[in-house]
């Protein structure tokens, strides 16, 4: 088996601090190498060096036996190295065919040949067994379809090494299956694939090899069928993690804090009946597009009901906006924390205090930095927020998991009676995910009611006392206690 890429002894320093300590990486043709590690482990830095965005401080990159002390983006593309990142590099106002040819327009006599553009685009889509109209504007495509177009463009440029960075983070279950089938076909065509993910089930489904980085060094390198999930997690976080088990049933379930009765919202969901009590974590599980996230939006005043009713703390209400929902005791964590919840250029303390500024302000309405700092310190240790312990540290400098914890602290500071969390661990590494689960279970045991809306069946299995399963905008089933299994969740979510 030929090896497309060999990275040898890669080191990288920023400002005198070394973040990669002599890392090796092999990517054989026709194989998938899963690259794992917590946020900050060095995965992104290594990929940027391979693709030419960064120059290494030491080491070399070997492509087809030729060594390069450093790479530049143009050379990387010419050598067939392509990175498919979470941020699409497409042109939304151009067609599918034009996007596939982007940056490498086929020409005749110095003029772009639009007939060749369409022909080459059609050929590469046919080779991938992907059916998307060549004349469709890319801006009208679904996320999964846009990702396929990115891969098609890379192959049109004769890519031999594909680096996929968290490719399923925003995909529906069906879109992810389409992507997985495509990856298997690319393997059979001899393409080498480096697959970056936090999801270990994807590693077990797709990968031939797994390499784990921790603190800038390789902590594990093995064939996937020779290593178990517990060993992968231990390599990532440096300690044994809790086994994947169901939580103990809620010991003290109190009064209802959140309830939908025959609730419908046009075009999103219909006739939903669900209830969350004090002292429990309830899952609302469904694949993307199931309507589960839309149900959650009604609790925070982001969507109105057309019929049925919503009860918060046993009062029938209809919050018109988030301000009303907060006054009713609802805390909400949206699926996209960076754009919808976190103030990335403010301090961590300001983020924790954000929902309570009116409560913490002086009589003149002035917010004092000291009060923000006190709010932060009140929740810093309890939530295990890993930071410099300085209230003034900017939110954007924290890892994704610690940003999530800070936003949880926001609602604890506000003394919310119910938490509605949508995809609370999306893009969060294994160690931080376990921390968040422990925090949520502890909050439930303290009497808070928590609704977790998730498209991750393992998350629903590990975290929730009970699970409502949604499919096609309706509740497909309600699983309690021992009835909650990953198999039942997947079966019911399929409708």
């Amino acid at each position: 088996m030929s090896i497309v890429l060999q990275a040898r002894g890669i080191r990288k320093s920023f400002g005198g601090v070394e973040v990669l300590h002599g890392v090796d990486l092999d990517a054989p043709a026709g194989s998938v190498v899963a690259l794992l590690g917590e946020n900050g482990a060095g995965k992104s830095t290594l990929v940027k060096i391979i693709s030419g965005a960064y120059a290494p401080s030491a080491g070399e990159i070997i492509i087809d036996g030729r060594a390069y002390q450093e790479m530049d983006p143009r050379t990387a593309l010419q050598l067939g190295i392509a990175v498919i990142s979470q941020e699409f590099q497409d042109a939304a106002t151009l067609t599918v065919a034009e996007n596939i040819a982007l940056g490498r327009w086929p020409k005749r006599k110095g003029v772009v040949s639009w007939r060749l553009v369409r022909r080459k685009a059609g050929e590469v889509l046919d080779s991938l067994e992907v059916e998307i109209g060549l004349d469709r504007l890319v801006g009208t495509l679904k996320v999964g379809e846009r990702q396929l177009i990115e891969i098609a463009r890379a192959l049109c440029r004769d890519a031999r090494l594909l680096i996929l960075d968290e490719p399923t983070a925003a995909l529906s279950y069906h879109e992810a299956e389409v992507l997985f089938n495509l990856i298997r076909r690319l393997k059979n065509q001899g393409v080498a694939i480096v697959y970056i993910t936090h999801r270990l089930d994807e590693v077990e489904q797709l990968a031939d090899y797994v390499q784990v980085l921790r603190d800038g060094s390789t902590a594990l390198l093995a064939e996937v069928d020779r290593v178990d999930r517990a060993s992968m997690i231990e390599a990532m976080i440096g300690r044994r993690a809790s086994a994947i088990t169901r939580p103990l049933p809620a010991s003290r379930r109190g009064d209802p804090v959140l309830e939908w009765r025959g609730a419908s919202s046009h075009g999103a969901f219909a006739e939903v009946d669900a209830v969350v009590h004090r002292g429990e974590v309830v899952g609302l599980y469904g694949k993307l597009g199931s309507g589960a996230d839309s149900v959650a939006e009604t609790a925070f005043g982001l969507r109105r009901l057309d019929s049925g009713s919503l009860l918060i703390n046993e009062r029938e209400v209809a919050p018109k906006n988030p301000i009303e929902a907060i006054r009713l005791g609802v805390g909400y964590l949206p699926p996209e924390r960076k754009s919808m919840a976190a103030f990335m250029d403010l301090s961590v303390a300001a983020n924790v205090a954000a929902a309570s500024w009116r409560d913490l302000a002086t009589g003149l309405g002035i917010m004092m930095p000291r009060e923000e700092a006190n709010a932060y310190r009140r929740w810093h240790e309890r939530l295990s927020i890993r930071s410099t312990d300085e209230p003034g540290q900017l939110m954007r400098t924290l890892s994704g998991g610690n940003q999530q914890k800070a936003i949880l602290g926001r609602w604890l500071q506000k003394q919310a009676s119910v938490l509605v969390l949508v995809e609370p661990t999306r893009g969060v590494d294994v160690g931080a995910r376990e921390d968040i689960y422990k925090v949520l279970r502890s909050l439930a045991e303290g009497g808070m009611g928590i609704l977790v809306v998730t498209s991750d069946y393992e998350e629903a299995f590990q975290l929730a006392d009970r699970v409502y399963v949604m499919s096609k905008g309706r509740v497909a089933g309600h699983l309690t206690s021992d009835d909650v299994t990953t198999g039942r969740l997947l079966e019911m979510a399929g409708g």
Side-chain angles (χ1 to χ4, degrees):
M1 182 185 297
S2 64
I3 299 178
V4 177
L5 163 77
Q6 294 172 286
R8 290 290 175 264
I10 302 297
R11 295 180 178 273
K12 181 62 179 176
S13 298
F14 294 101
V17 178
E18 189 172 77
V19 297
L20 286 180
H21 314 301
V23 173
D24 295 342
L25 174 68
D26 286 352
S31 68
V32 175
V33 180
L35 185 60
L36 310 181
E38 293 195 273
N39 294 333
K43 305 186 300 295
S44 296
T45 302
L46 179 60
V47 166
K48 287 178 179 177
I49 289 171
I50 292 170
S51 61
Y54 289 165
S57 303
E60 61 184 8
I61 297 165
I62 303 169
I63 305 292
D64 296 328
R66 180 179 175 182
Y68 298 81
Q69 259 60 54
E70 64 178 83
M71 191 73 67
D72 62 79
R74 181 184 294 272
T75 302
L77 284 174
Q78 290 172 344
L79 292 171
I81 299 171
V83 179
I84 312 299
S85 65
Q86 296 181 56
E87 303 295 331
F88 295 135
Q89 308 298 313
D90 56 20
T93 58
L94 297 183
T95 66
V96 166
E98 290 165 342
N99 267 274
I100 291 174
L102 205 61
R104 196 172 181 178
W105 303 101
K107 297 178 181 179
R108 280 187 173 170
K109 297 180 180 180
V111 178
V112 173
S113 170
W114 298 108
R115 186 175 62 83
L116 277 178
V117 166
R118 289 178 56 81
R119 193 185 81 189
K120 286 182 175 292
E123 288 173 351
V124 72
L125 289 181
D126 287 344
S127 74
L128 298 176
E129 298 179 24
V130 171
E131 295 183 6
I132 301 176
L134 295 178
D135 296 321
R136 290 183 63 184
L137 294 181
V138 162
T140 68
L141 301 181
K142 296 178 180 178
V143 172
E145 292 174 323
R146 292 178 71 174
Q147 194 169 69
L148 296 178
I149 299 306
E150 295 263 297
I151 294 173
R153 184 192 312 129
L155 296 180
C156 205
R157 295 172 174 172
D158 302 319
R160 299 172 56 241
L161 171 66
L162 274 183
I163 302 174
L164 303 175
D165 186 5
E166 293 283 355
T168 62
L171 298 189
S172 69
Y173 180 84
H174 172 70
E175 289 171 329
E177 285 300 313
V178 171
L179 176 66
F180 295 165
N181 289 332
L182 174 57
I183 288 172
R184 294 182 184 109
R185 287 196 293 274
L186 292 175
K187 278 178 58 178
N188 292 334
Q189 294 172 19
V191 177
I193 298 168
V194 175
Y195 190 93
I196 301 172
T197 183
H198 288 306
R199 298 201 52 164
L200 300 186
D201 57 324
E202 294 179 359
V203 175
E204 293 163 345
Q205 284 186 65
L206 292 174
D208 301 286
Y209 306 96
V210 58
Q211 180 162 344
V212 177
L213 297 186
R214 186 174 75 244
D215 298 330
S217 299
T218 297
L220 174 69
L221 176 60
E223 295 179 26
V224 169
D225 58 7
R226 293 179 178 272
V227 64
D228 61 19
R229 189 177 296 198
S231 298
M232 287 188 264
I233 295 174
E234 183 176 5
M236 280 189 274
I237 65 178
R239 56 184 171 81
R240 296 296 292 180
S242 302
I244 299 176
T245 58
R246 292 273 300 132
L248 294 174
S251 56
R252 293 193 305 274
R253 196 172 84 169
D255 298 330
V257 288
L258 189 59
E259 185 173 3
W260 289 267
R261 295 178 181 173
S264 299
S265 180
H266 182 69
F269 59 87
E271 298 178 2
V272 168
D273 291 305
V275 61
V276 180
H277 296 84
R278 293 186 185 279
E280 65 174 352
V281 178
V282 174
L284 189 60
Y285 168 71
K287 302 166 188 175
L288 295 181
S290 67
D293 54 346
S294 298
V295 173
E297 289 174 351
T298 64
F300 202 60
L302 298 172
R303 178 183 290 274
R304 301 296 297 276
L305 292 180
D306 297 321
S307 61
S309 56
L310 169 66
L311 288 80
I312 298 176
N313 292 314
E314 301 185 87
R315 289 175 50 209
E316 186 172 336
V317 293
K320 298 182 182 65
N321 52 53
I323 293 175
E324 285 191 15
I326 292 170
R327 288 173 180 163
L328 291 166
V330 180
Y332 179 76
L333 196 154
E336 301 296 338
R337 62 179 173 271
K338 290 184 178 180
S339 60
M340 302 172 69
F343 302 105
M344 302 300 284
D345 290 320
L346 295 184
S347 68
V348 185
N351 272 272
V352 171
S356 305
W357 280 334
R358 183 185 296 272
D359 307 324
L360 297 173
T362 66
L364 297 175
I366 299 172
M367 188 67 218
M368 303 298 290
R370 183 179 68 250
E371 295 302 322
E372 287 184 336
N374 289 340
Y376 166 75
R377 292 192 177 99
R378 189 172 295 122
W379 302 109
H380 173 263
E381 185 173 346
R382 181 177 177 186
L383 297 177
S384 300
I385 300 174
R386 295 192 176 98
S387 63
T388 61
D389 200 22
E390 288 297 325
Q393 183 177 356
L394 292 182
M395 187 72 159
R396 59 179 165 80
T397 65
L398 268 61
S399 70
N402 287 298
Q403 290 172 3
Q404 293 289 66
K405 293 176 192 177
I407 297 168
L408 281 176
R410 174 185 301 171
W411 300 118
L412 299 183
Q413 174 65 33
K414 187 60 180 174
Q415 298 182 322
S417 58
V418 58
L419 284 179
V420 178
L421 313 175
V422 185
E423 305 289 359
T425 60
R426 176 182 288 171
V428 169
D429 59 53
V430 172
R433 179 176 297 197
E434 186 173 316
D435 287 345
I436 290 171
Y437 288 176
K438 287 179 180 177
V439 167
L440 295 180
R441 294 302 316 174
S442 174
L443 293 174
E445 289 166 7
M448 183 175 283
I450 299 173
L451 178 71
V452 173
V453 181
T454 181
S455 58
D456 184 336
Y457 61 88
E458 288 192 347
E459 183 155 88
F461 174 78
Q462 287 182 257
L463 188 55
D465 297 291
R466 301 182 291 113
V467 181
Y468 294 95
V469 182
M470 288 200 67
S471 177
K472 301 177 183 177
R474 293 179 180 268
V475 174
H478 176 211
L479 300 176
T480 61
S481 190
D482 294 338
D483 292 333
V484 180
T485 66
T486 56
R488 289 285 285 145
L489 290 168
L490 287 170
E491 177 188 353
M492 296 179 77

